[in-house]
Amino acid sequence: MSRLKLLIDQISERFLAREEQSRKLLVNGARDLVLKGLGLLGFLVMNAVLARGLGVEAFGHYAFVLSVVLLLSMAARQGMDSGILRFVSVYSAQQKWGFLKGVLVWMTIRVGVVAVAISAFGFLAILLTGPAAAPGLRETGFWGLIFLPLVTLSQINQYALRGRLWIVHAQIPDLVIRPYGVTLAVALLVLAGISVDGGDAMAITAISAAVGLVLGWAWLRNSLPGDVFSTEAEHEPSAWRKVSTQLLLVSGAGLVLTQMDIVMLGLLTTTDESGLYSIASRLSAISIFAIVALGSIGAPMIASLYAKEDTEALVRLVKLMARISLATLVPMGLLFAVFGPIILGFFGDQFVAVYVPLLVLVGGQTLAACFGPAAMLLTMTSAEDTAARILLFSVAANLMLNGLLIPQFGMLGASIATALTTAIPAGAMFFAVRKRLGVSSAAF
């Protein structure tokens, strides 16, 4: 890792010595890219092990329940994950330790209570409707509801750690502990000849989330200065709630668009199709991991340049982000187009059926990438209201299109609905950026 860091620094010094913002983006983005790449590799292997070890039916139960839990977790966080990132960063910079202590405790308690309440209602629903559900799905759902508060609180910890600039530690629970822990445990059970179903896999996932949560709490405590523990907590709940609600509209819509197609397939067809399609969704997510890595570094840089009114540097930075994103997506699309059946066969012969939906999903992402980081520009330049409206429209359109296309075309219909509601809103935000900021976010 140290040699890689040295190489990145040398390249950036050689070619970007006069472009400080671009240099920071490439150096920090490349490091984050390596970590996210390792994490996504872990998720790829985990899904392959689960798909082969559980079989199509049990894996379908697991994928369906996981998507439902992730959507419920988003609701439980109430936008306070992004809110805690913003406020922890601000209070740390201003050394307002009382407010830092207050926001950590206030948001963690509220998120935890809501997550537990959602799980309790879920358990009640399983008890009332359990006999009508498939036995394997019912047991997987039971463990999924245990997983829900654990992963929700872990996410809050991770965003707080990012606010304290413990970036690597913040990502370990999701990118290392969960994928590699689940993979190892399931693989050992299968090799030992022990049958594993969706409920078993979800139970192991819940245990891995618990480990990540405990470690996250320990790291967060170590990241805080001693003054936080010796001072009285101070509160400004109205500001915390207002900002978190606004951020929920933006970040929540993105999660809905990546999970709703899997959930609706399970509801409108079968969980078998939901499980098969989830692999196409996961692979398409891998194709944009470079965009995600750039975004985590580029977002605060965009905010800083906008605050300084350095429009020229802002345009250069945005163009660079857009071109790098497109340059990583196109080769991934070609890779899936040529070797897609072979890659999908790695998960099992049945998964080759999602080859065309996979290409449709990646095609939608590629088209969206042509418009550049328009959504990020809006949310980082006090225009999150515009981004929220566009994303809410895209969520409504996604639900409608999935409802219309899935009964007719199954997995292909789900991929078309998601691709359209990925690309079209990106274009709408591109024009919104040009109108409100007077700059172009496109790659060209």
Side-chain angles (χ1 to χ4, degrees):
M1 186 66 74
S2 60
R3 291 183 179 179
L4 177 61
K5 176 182 180 298
L6 179 61
L7 177 61
I8 294 171
D9 288 338
Q10 289 175 342
I11 293 174
S12 63
E13 287 284 0
R14 170 67 177 84
F15 294 102
L16 295 170
R18 298 181 181 178
E19 294 286 346
E20 181 63 21
Q21 296 296 332
S22 299
R23 180 176 177 275
K24 286 182 180 179
L25 176 70
L26 289 180
V27 172
N28 296 322
R31 295 170 188 166
D32 199 47
L33 190 65
V34 172
L35 181 59
K36 282 186 168 57
L38 291 174
L40 288 171
L41 176 62
F43 273 106
L44 183 66
V45 175
M46 181 188 77
N47 279 280
V49 170
L50 289 174
R52 288 188 171 274
L54 274 62
V56 173
E57 182 180 11
F59 180 72
H61 293 160
Y62 178 87
F64 175 75
V65 169
L66 181 62
S67 291
V68 172
V69 167
L70 292 177
L71 289 174
L72 293 176
S73 175
M74 174 206 69
R77 294 196 300 272
Q78 309 159 65
M80 292 187 185
D81 45 2
S82 298
I84 209 168
L85 168 62
R86 176 182 294 188
F87 287 113
V88 167
S89 300
V90 170
Y91 294 147
S92 295
Q94 298 173 344
Q95 296 187 0
K96 293 183 176 181
W97 307 127
F99 283 109
L100 176 58
K101 182 177 184 177
V103 75
L104 287 171
V105 174
W106 190 86
M107 287 192 175
T108 300
I109 290 176
R110 275 153 182 77
V111 167
V113 168
V114 173
V116 171
I118 292 174
S119 290
F121 280 113
F123 285 127
L124 180 61
I126 288 178
L127 290 175
L128 293 176
T129 63
L137 180 60
R138 184 171 61 248
E139 292 158 4
T140 307
F142 172 82
W143 283 106
L145 291 170
I146 294 176
F147 171 61
L148 171 59
L150 297 172
V151 72
T152 301
L153 288 171
S154 182
Q155 283 287 317
I156 292 294
N157 272 347
Q158 291 170 44
Y159 276 80
L161 281 168
R162 285 174 57 187
R164 291 294 300 160
L165 300 180
W166 283 43
I167 307 298
V168 173
H169 292 79
Q171 299 181 85
I172 287 176
D174 274 353
L175 298 184
V176 179
I177 294 174
R178 181 145 58 100
Y180 289 101
V182 172
T183 299
L184 180 61
V186 172
L188 289 175
L189 290 173
V190 171
L191 290 174
I194 300 173
S195 177
V196 181
D197 59 18
D200 299 326
M202 190 59 71
I204 294 169
T205 304
I207 292 171
S208 69
V211 173
L213 176 59
V214 172
L215 287 175
W217 271 336
W219 289 331
L220 180 58
R221 183 179 178 85
N222 290 336
S223 76
L224 299 173
D227 292 336
V228 173
F229 303 101
S230 61
T231 189
E232 289 291 328
E234 300 181 68
H235 299 83
E236 45 182 0
S238 59
W240 297 341
R241 191 179 292 110
K242 179 181 179 181
V243 170
S244 296
T245 301
Q246 292 173 339
L247 293 173
L248 173 63
L249 296 175
V250 177
S251 61
L255 180 61
V256 169
L257 291 174
T258 60
Q259 300 296 328
M260 188 53 67
D261 46 1
I262 300 174
V263 173
M264 291 192 70
L265 266 172
L267 293 174
L268 298 177
T269 58
T270 66
T271 54
D272 287 5
E273 287 206 14
S274 183
L276 292 172
Y277 179 83
S278 71
I279 293 299
S281 180
R282 304 287 186 263
L283 287 174
S284 68
I286 288 175
S287 68
I288 62 170
F289 80 101
I291 298 176
V292 175
L294 285 175
S296 63
I297 305 300
M301 295 170 64
I302 288 174
S304 175
L305 291 173
Y306 178 76
K308 296 175 182 177
E309 299 183 354
D310 192 347
T311 304
E312 185 178 345
L314 177 63
V315 170
R316 289 199 301 269
L317 177 66
V318 169
K319 287 288 184 185
L320 180 62
M321 292 178 66
R323 289 168 181 172
I324 292 176
S325 299
L326 196 58
T328 57
L329 256 175
V330 171
M332 290 297 293
L334 293 175
L335 176 68
F336 289 140
V338 177
F339 299 105
I342 298 174
I343 296 172
L344 290 167
F346 180 62
F347 299 89
D349 294 338
Q350 305 96 322
F351 291 89
V352 179
V354 297
Y355 171 64
V356 175
L358 171 61
L359 296 185
V360 173
L361 289 173
V362 176
Q365 291 168 341
T366 304
L367 182 58
C370 293
F371 296 107
M376 191 181 302
L377 267 169
L378 292 174
T379 56
M380 290 295 108
T381 57
S382 302
E384 63 270 6
D385 56 333
T386 300
R389 286 195 296 270
I390 294 173
L391 287 171
L392 285 175
F393 170 79
S394 67
V395 168
N398 183 266
L399 291 171
M400 182 184 69
L401 288 173
N402 272 312
L404 291 173
L405 297 177
I406 287 176
Q408 294 294 322
F409 304 104
M411 294 183 290
L412 178 60
S415 66
I416 292 172
T418 300
L420 288 174
T421 51
T422 298
I424 294 176
M429 282 190 257
F430 163 77
F431 288 108
V433 166
R434 291 193 63 174
K435 181 178 180 181
R436 295 196 60 163
L437 305 179
V439 301
S440 172
S441 62
F444 306 104

